[in-house]
Short mmCIF file of all heavy atoms in Angstrom, two decimals:
data_model
loop_
_atom_site.label_atom_id
_atom_site.label_comp_id
_atom_site.label_asym_id
_atom_site.label_seq_id
_atom_site.Cartn_x
_atom_site.Cartn_y
_atom_site.Cartn_z
N THR K 1 14.23 -28.88 20.67
CA THR K 1 13.36 -28.18 19.77
C THR K 1 12.09 -27.70 20.49
O THR K 1 11.76 -28.26 21.58
CB THR K 1 12.94 -29.03 18.56
OG1 THR K 1 12.24 -30.14 19.06
CG2 THR K 1 14.12 -29.50 17.79
N TYR K 2 11.44 -26.73 19.98
CA TYR K 2 10.21 -26.24 20.56
C TYR K 2 9.28 -25.73 19.48
O TYR K 2 9.79 -25.40 18.42
CB TYR K 2 10.48 -25.10 21.60
CG TYR K 2 11.20 -23.94 21.05
CD1 TYR K 2 10.46 -22.81 20.59
CD2 TYR K 2 12.55 -23.90 20.94
CE1 TYR K 2 11.13 -21.75 20.01
CE2 TYR K 2 13.25 -22.82 20.37
CZ TYR K 2 12.50 -21.75 19.93
OH TYR K 2 13.18 -20.67 19.38
N PRO K 3 8.03 -25.67 19.68
CA PRO K 3 7.11 -25.19 18.61
C PRO K 3 7.35 -23.73 18.35
O PRO K 3 7.70 -22.96 19.28
CB PRO K 3 5.72 -25.39 19.23
CG PRO K 3 5.86 -26.05 20.52
CD PRO K 3 7.33 -26.12 20.89
N ALA K 4 7.15 -23.35 17.09
CA ALA K 4 7.32 -21.91 16.77
C ALA K 4 6.33 -21.08 17.48
O ALA K 4 5.15 -21.44 17.66
CB ALA K 4 7.19 -21.76 15.26
N ALA K 5 6.81 -19.97 17.93
CA ALA K 5 5.94 -18.99 18.65
C ALA K 5 5.00 -18.37 17.67
O ALA K 5 5.27 -18.06 16.54
CB ALA K 5 6.78 -17.92 19.31
N THR K 6 3.68 -18.12 18.11
CA THR K 6 2.82 -17.38 17.29
C THR K 6 2.81 -15.90 17.63
O THR K 6 2.94 -15.51 18.80
CB THR K 6 1.34 -17.95 17.46
OG1 THR K 6 0.99 -17.83 18.88
CG2 THR K 6 1.28 -19.43 17.04
N LEU K 7 2.62 -15.07 16.66
CA LEU K 7 2.60 -13.61 16.88
C LEU K 7 1.27 -13.23 17.43
O LEU K 7 0.19 -13.51 16.83
CB LEU K 7 2.89 -12.90 15.60
CG LEU K 7 4.30 -13.12 14.99
CD1 LEU K 7 4.38 -12.45 13.65
CD2 LEU K 7 5.37 -12.72 15.92
N GLU K 8 1.25 -12.47 18.53
CA GLU K 8 -0.01 -11.99 19.07
C GLU K 8 -0.58 -10.87 18.16
O GLU K 8 -1.70 -10.77 17.96
CB GLU K 8 0.17 -11.44 20.49
CG GLU K 8 0.39 -12.54 21.53
CD GLU K 8 0.55 -12.03 22.89
OE1 GLU K 8 0.10 -10.94 23.21
OE2 GLU K 8 1.19 -12.69 23.72
N ASN K 9 0.30 -10.00 17.67
CA ASN K 9 -0.07 -8.92 16.82
C ASN K 9 0.66 -9.12 15.48
O ASN K 9 1.79 -8.71 15.30
CB ASN K 9 0.34 -7.55 17.41
CG ASN K 9 -0.43 -7.31 18.67
OD1 ASN K 9 -1.58 -7.60 18.80
ND2 ASN K 9 0.29 -6.71 19.66
N PRO K 10 0.01 -9.75 14.47
CA PRO K 10 0.67 -10.03 13.19
C PRO K 10 1.03 -8.66 12.53
O PRO K 10 0.35 -7.71 12.77
CB PRO K 10 -0.33 -10.77 12.46
CG PRO K 10 -1.57 -10.61 13.08
CD PRO K 10 -1.32 -10.26 14.51
N PRO K 11 2.04 -8.62 11.73
CA PRO K 11 2.44 -7.41 11.08
C PRO K 11 1.30 -6.87 10.17
O PRO K 11 0.42 -7.69 9.66
CB PRO K 11 3.61 -7.76 10.22
CG PRO K 11 3.65 -9.23 10.14
CD PRO K 11 2.85 -9.77 11.32
N ALA K 12 1.25 -5.57 10.04
CA ALA K 12 0.20 -4.97 9.24
C ALA K 12 0.30 -5.42 7.78
O ALA K 12 1.35 -5.70 7.26
CB ALA K 12 0.32 -3.42 9.29
N VAL K 13 -0.86 -5.59 7.18
CA VAL K 13 -0.91 -6.04 5.83
C VAL K 13 -0.68 -4.86 4.93
O VAL K 13 -1.36 -3.88 5.12
CB VAL K 13 -2.30 -6.71 5.48
CG1 VAL K 13 -2.38 -7.05 4.01
CG2 VAL K 13 -2.54 -7.86 6.38
N ARG K 14 0.27 -5.02 4.06
CA ARG K 14 0.53 -3.90 3.09
C ARG K 14 -0.40 -4.05 1.95
O ARG K 14 -0.64 -5.11 1.47
CB ARG K 14 2.00 -3.99 2.60
CG ARG K 14 2.96 -3.89 3.76
CD ARG K 14 4.35 -4.05 3.33
NE ARG K 14 4.82 -2.81 2.66
CZ ARG K 14 5.96 -2.62 2.06
NH1 ARG K 14 6.77 -3.64 2.06
NH2 ARG K 14 6.32 -1.54 1.53
N LYS K 15 -0.94 -2.91 1.53
CA LYS K 15 -1.82 -2.94 0.35
C LYS K 15 -1.19 -2.18 -0.79
O LYS K 15 -0.44 -1.26 -0.64
CB LYS K 15 -3.21 -2.36 0.67
CG LYS K 15 -3.25 -0.92 0.97
CD LYS K 15 -4.64 -0.42 1.20
CE LYS K 15 -4.67 1.07 1.38
NZ LYS K 15 -6.01 1.54 1.46
N ARG K 16 -1.53 -2.68 -1.98
CA ARG K 16 -1.02 -2.08 -3.25
C ARG K 16 -1.67 -0.75 -3.50
O ARG K 16 -2.86 -0.57 -3.19
CB ARG K 16 -1.21 -3.03 -4.37
CG ARG K 16 -0.37 -4.28 -4.22
CD ARG K 16 -0.58 -5.15 -5.48
NE ARG K 16 0.25 -6.35 -5.35
CZ ARG K 16 1.35 -6.59 -6.08
NH1 ARG K 16 1.77 -5.68 -6.88
NH2 ARG K 16 1.97 -7.63 -5.85
N VAL K 17 -0.96 0.12 -4.12
CA VAL K 17 -1.50 1.41 -4.52
C VAL K 17 -2.06 1.28 -5.90
O VAL K 17 -1.43 0.69 -6.80
CB VAL K 17 -0.38 2.54 -4.54
CG1 VAL K 17 -0.91 3.81 -5.07
CG2 VAL K 17 0.16 2.69 -3.15
N GLN K 18 -3.29 1.72 -6.15
CA GLN K 18 -3.97 1.62 -7.41
C GLN K 18 -3.64 2.85 -8.20
O GLN K 18 -3.84 3.96 -7.70
CB GLN K 18 -5.43 1.44 -7.26
CG GLN K 18 -6.17 1.30 -8.57
CD GLN K 18 -7.71 1.20 -8.42
OE1 GLN K 18 -8.18 1.19 -7.29
NE2 GLN K 18 -8.39 1.17 -9.48
N LEU K 19 -3.12 2.75 -9.41
CA LEU K 19 -2.83 3.84 -10.22
C LEU K 19 -3.90 4.01 -11.23
O LEU K 19 -4.39 3.05 -11.77
CB LEU K 19 -1.46 3.65 -10.93
CG LEU K 19 -0.25 3.59 -9.93
CD1 LEU K 19 0.99 3.20 -10.68
CD2 LEU K 19 -0.11 4.83 -9.14
N PRO K 20 -4.27 5.20 -11.68
CA PRO K 20 -3.74 6.41 -11.21
C PRO K 20 -4.29 6.80 -9.81
O PRO K 20 -5.40 6.44 -9.46
CB PRO K 20 -4.26 7.45 -12.25
CG PRO K 20 -5.49 6.84 -12.78
CD PRO K 20 -5.31 5.36 -12.70
N LEU K 21 -3.50 7.52 -9.06
CA LEU K 21 -3.85 7.94 -7.71
C LEU K 21 -4.95 8.98 -7.79
O LEU K 21 -5.78 9.08 -6.85
CB LEU K 21 -2.64 8.45 -6.91
CG LEU K 21 -1.57 7.42 -6.65
CD1 LEU K 21 -0.34 8.10 -6.01
CD2 LEU K 21 -2.05 6.34 -5.70
N VAL K 22 -4.88 9.81 -8.77
CA VAL K 22 -5.88 10.86 -8.95
C VAL K 22 -6.63 10.61 -10.26
O VAL K 22 -6.08 10.63 -11.33
CB VAL K 22 -5.22 12.29 -9.02
CG1 VAL K 22 -6.25 13.36 -9.19
CG2 VAL K 22 -4.42 12.53 -7.77
N HIS K 23 -7.92 10.31 -10.15
CA HIS K 23 -8.72 10.01 -11.28
C HIS K 23 -9.28 11.29 -11.94
O HIS K 23 -9.87 12.07 -11.25
CB HIS K 23 -9.88 9.08 -10.93
CG HIS K 23 -9.48 7.74 -10.31
ND1 HIS K 23 -9.11 6.70 -11.19
CD2 HIS K 23 -9.30 7.29 -9.11
CE1 HIS K 23 -8.71 5.67 -10.47
NE2 HIS K 23 -8.87 6.00 -9.17
N THR K 24 -8.95 11.47 -13.22
CA THR K 24 -9.42 12.65 -13.95
C THR K 24 -9.92 12.17 -15.29
O THR K 24 -9.63 11.03 -15.71
CB THR K 24 -8.30 13.72 -14.09
OG1 THR K 24 -7.31 13.13 -14.97
CG2 THR K 24 -7.72 14.17 -12.83
N GLY K 25 -10.62 13.00 -16.01
CA GLY K 25 -11.09 12.68 -17.33
C GLY K 25 -10.02 12.74 -18.36
O GLY K 25 -10.12 12.27 -19.45
N GLU K 26 -8.98 13.53 -18.06
CA GLU K 26 -7.87 13.72 -19.00
C GLU K 26 -6.53 13.19 -18.41
O GLU K 26 -6.13 13.57 -17.32
CB GLU K 26 -7.67 15.23 -19.23
CG GLU K 26 -8.89 15.92 -19.81
CD GLU K 26 -9.16 15.54 -21.22
OE1 GLU K 26 -8.16 15.38 -21.99
OE2 GLU K 26 -10.34 15.43 -21.60
N PRO K 27 -5.90 12.24 -19.11
CA PRO K 27 -4.59 11.81 -18.59
C PRO K 27 -3.60 12.91 -18.65
O PRO K 27 -3.54 13.70 -19.54
CB PRO K 27 -4.28 10.66 -19.52
CG PRO K 27 -5.10 10.82 -20.73
CD PRO K 27 -6.26 11.64 -20.35
N GLY K 28 -2.76 13.02 -17.63
CA GLY K 28 -1.71 13.94 -17.57
C GLY K 28 -2.14 15.39 -17.17
O GLY K 28 -1.37 16.33 -17.43
N THR K 29 -3.33 15.53 -16.67
CA THR K 29 -3.80 16.89 -16.32
C THR K 29 -3.39 17.33 -14.92
O THR K 29 -3.57 18.47 -14.55
CB THR K 29 -5.37 16.98 -16.45
OG1 THR K 29 -5.94 16.03 -15.55
CG2 THR K 29 -5.79 16.69 -17.88
N VAL K 30 -2.92 16.39 -14.09
CA VAL K 30 -2.59 16.68 -12.75
C VAL K 30 -1.02 16.60 -12.60
O VAL K 30 -0.48 15.59 -13.02
CB VAL K 30 -3.25 15.80 -11.68
CG1 VAL K 30 -2.89 16.12 -10.31
CG2 VAL K 30 -4.76 15.85 -11.91
N ASN K 31 -0.39 17.61 -12.04
CA ASN K 31 1.02 17.60 -11.91
C ASN K 31 1.32 16.79 -10.56
O ASN K 31 1.20 17.37 -9.46
CB ASN K 31 1.53 19.04 -11.83
CG ASN K 31 3.07 19.10 -11.70
OD1 ASN K 31 3.73 18.06 -11.99
ND2 ASN K 31 3.65 20.20 -11.27
N LEU K 32 1.71 15.57 -10.74
CA LEU K 32 1.99 14.70 -9.61
C LEU K 32 3.48 14.74 -9.29
O LEU K 32 4.26 13.94 -9.82
CB LEU K 32 1.51 13.32 -9.87
CG LEU K 32 -0.01 13.16 -9.99
CD1 LEU K 32 -0.32 11.68 -10.31
CD2 LEU K 32 -0.67 13.57 -8.75
N THR K 33 3.88 15.59 -8.36
CA THR K 33 5.26 15.61 -7.94
C THR K 33 5.39 14.58 -6.80
O THR K 33 4.39 14.07 -6.25
CB THR K 33 5.65 17.01 -7.37
OG1 THR K 33 4.79 17.27 -6.25
CG2 THR K 33 5.45 18.09 -8.44
N GLY K 34 6.60 14.27 -6.40
CA GLY K 34 6.84 13.34 -5.30
C GLY K 34 6.16 13.85 -4.03
O GLY K 34 5.56 13.08 -3.34
N GLN K 35 6.28 15.16 -3.79
CA GLN K 35 5.64 15.74 -2.59
C GLN K 35 4.13 15.60 -2.62
O GLN K 35 3.44 15.31 -1.65
CB GLN K 35 6.04 17.16 -2.40
CG GLN K 35 5.38 17.74 -1.13
CD GLN K 35 6.07 19.03 -0.68
OE1 GLN K 35 7.18 19.32 -1.12
NE2 GLN K 35 5.39 19.72 0.22
#
């Protein structure tokens, strides 16, 4: 057996997307297509 190797460059931390992505005064006023 041997000690577990430590990562020199840990994987990037993924962050959550906050919805709505586009803040407006009116819900549904921006046409958010996949593109």
